Amino acid sequence: MVPKILKFTLLFLLLNINPISAEIIWGPTLEKSGGEYIFETGNKYPNLSGIRGGSRISFPRSFTLFGIQGIVTKDRFEISGALKTTGWYQKSGQARDEDFFLGSISTENTTNIATREWSYRDSATVYAGSRNFADGKGKSTVSENRAEFFGRYYFQSANPNYWADGSGFFLSAGARYSYFKYYFYDVNQFIESSPVFYGPIGLGLSFSNDLWEFFGGGGYRHSEGDFYLDISFMPSFGRIKTRDFHVQRSINFFSENYGLGWTSKAEVGYKISSIWLSYLRVNHRRFFSEGRFTSQGGLTTEDIASNLVSGFKSHINIKDYSIEIGVLNKLDWDQKLINNEKVE
């Protein structure tokens, strides 16, 4: 569910702003996403049982979001908000659930954004050089609801008014909340057993996510004539909680991770008229996190024993992009006032 504090923020602003001193812009949006979501856990060095290994669950980030957005501008300030949803469970492509062994030559790259060393690694996977002893492939569906809220302050001749000419930099900060859930089904499972097993197992798992992200950064806007260009880059900090339910094993895994990332945007717009414009926007998002997860339930002795352990290491990394199109309408308060006077 989308938190009420974000769901009603935009509505509150629209109802309580003075229309004479500010501009209000609103419109629908359509966004097509792609990318990858990966959950990994493992240990390169032997644990208490003497095993070096881990697991990886991979989901595609392919779905379509529908939504509505609103923007309030005054002087050099801009406040924007958006609500977006898939509306239903959408097919997102092939997902995969792997269990693997790790050896002495395996690598474990746990740090994607190293602030101390000023280094960056863009891979969504953590472990390499592994050998799978179990591997499941199947279909996936996803449902997502998202709410976001951003503020900007413009410098130089840049103007939050989309219809005004000008160029300059801006500072930006904001927050985004998203809840999304995957289903992994029609799974064909391979298990390196004696004898080897390979066959359909039906529904594999469900994976629900509760993600908060907080952003701070800036960008540049250039507006001239009928067109404008808007680009931005914002580093981020986030927290994600997940529930991973494995149907065949009847076991839940609960995780809480924290991490760093960034988001970037490039937007080109066309001013259709004095109150209407359209835009094409390309978004990129990276989120790399680490934390711990605990288990609850299970059918086997090993699964039940894992309930007594305080926690296991977990990594949740997201790399996605989207192409977004939409239209915006500027409310014409002067015309409304004239119409009201005529009615009176």
Side-chain angles (χ1 to χ4, degrees):
M1 287 181 66
V2 177
K4 292 183 179 179
I5 189 172
L6 283 179
K7 181 180 285 186
F8 296 111
T9 297
L10 181 59
L11 181 60
F12 175 83
L13 289 170
L14 293 178
L15 293 177
N16 290 276
I17 195 88
N18 184 345
I20 304 302
S21 61
E23 293 288 351
I24 297 178
I25 309 167
W26 72 281
T29 176
L30 176 65
E31 184 175 351
K32 178 64 177 178
S33 297
E36 56 184 337
Y37 170 104
I38 296 179
F39 170 92
E40 284 184 284
T41 183
N43 50 283
K44 185 180 176 182
Y45 302 98
N47 57 18
L48 295 177
S49 63
I51 297 176
R52 295 186 294 184
S55 64
R56 178 187 301 116
I57 302 175
S58 308
F59 289 108
R61 295 280 297 162
S62 301
F63 50 86
T64 301
L65 289 165
F66 311 86
I68 188 169
Q69 59 183 324
I71 303 171
V72 179
T73 66
K74 182 179 180 181
D75 300 328
R76 291 185 174 272
F77 289 94
E78 173 184 304
I79 298 174
S80 63
L83 298 173
K84 301 178 181 179
T85 180
T86 57
W88 55 84
Y89 279 93
Q90 299 181 14
K91 293 181 179 180
S92 56
Q94 179 177 275
R96 191 173 184 182
D97 183 4
E98 307 167 75
D99 295 299
F100 49 80
F101 291 118
L102 295 170
S104 58
I105 62 172
S106 302
T107 59
E108 181 178 359
N109 299 305
T110 60
T111 303
N112 289 80
I113 300 176
T115 56
R116 182 178 301 176
E117 295 81 8
W118 288 93
S119 64
Y120 173 72
R121 190 178 66 89
D122 200 42
S123 174
T125 59
V126 172
Y127 301 98
S130 60
R131 182 178 68 83
N132 288 358
F133 63 85
D135 195 347
K137 295 181 181 180
K139 302 174 183 177
S140 66
T141 60
V142 63
S143 172
E144 179 161 338
N145 297 302
R146 184 186 303 172
E148 57 189 29
F149 178 72
F150 289 91
R152 286 183 176 185
Y153 182 81
Y154 291 83
F155 299 91
Q156 299 160 308
S157 63
N159 197 313
N161 183 353
Y162 284 77
W163 284 264
D165 290 349
S167 301
F169 294 93
F170 59 82
L171 293 178
S172 181
R176 177 189 294 140
Y177 172 81
S178 56
Y179 176 84
F180 54 102
K181 186 173 184 178
Y182 283 98
Y183 280 104
F184 181 41
Y185 64 102
D186 283 357
V187 181
N188 282 301
Q189 180 79 45
F190 159 79
I191 302 176
E192 189 182 86
S193 56
S194 184
V196 170
F197 171 82
Y198 179 77
I201 63 169
L203 181 61
L205 57 90
S206 65
F207 207 115
S208 56
N209 301 261
D210 186 280
L211 174 60
W212 278 96
E213 296 170 277
F214 301 92
F215 303 90
Y220 184 83
R221 174 178 289 179
H222 174 77
S223 180
E224 184 176 358
D226 292 335
F227 295 91
Y228 71 86
L229 172 66
D230 191 292
I231 57 177
S232 64
F233 179 83
M234 289 187 288
S236 66
F237 169 78
R239 184 230 68 187
I240 185 169
K241 289 185 176 182
T242 71
R243 175 180 179 266
D244 174 16
F245 176 60
H246 285 246
V247 176
Q248 307 300 325
R249 297 164 61 188
S250 190
I251 187 171
N252 282 289
F253 298 103
F254 298 96
S255 70
E256 182 171 359
N257 284 31
Y258 294 85
L260 301 174
W262 57 267
T263 183
S264 65
K265 180 190 73 172
E267 178 180 327
V268 177
Y270 174 69
K271 305 165 191 177
I272 302 171
S273 68
S274 60
I275 60 172
W276 287 97
L277 63 81
S278 61
Y279 66 85
L280 172 66
R281 181 183 300 162
V282 179
N283 304 293
H284 283 84
R285 191 262 299 268
R286 302 288 187 267
F287 177 67
F288 306 106
S289 69
E290 298 181 23
R292 299 184 69 79
F293 73 92
T294 57
S295 61
Q296 186 180 95
L299 301 176
T300 67
T301 303
E302 291 81 2
D303 284 345
I304 295 174
S306 69
N307 295 181
L308 306 176
V309 180
S310 60
F312 303 89
K313 181 168 52 178
S314 65
H315 307 273
I316 298 176
N317 297 332
I318 302 174
K319 288 178 58 179
D320 61 11
Y321 63 90
S322 66
I323 299 176
E324 184 177 352
I325 59 174
V327 294
L328 291 172
N329 170 247
K330 178 171 62 174
L331 298 183
D332 192 344
W333 296 107
D334 292 336
Q335 186 61 43
K336 286 189 175 183
L337 290 173
I338 292 174
N339 292 336
N340 289 335
E341 290 176 356
K342 289 180 178 180
V343 170
E344 292 175 358

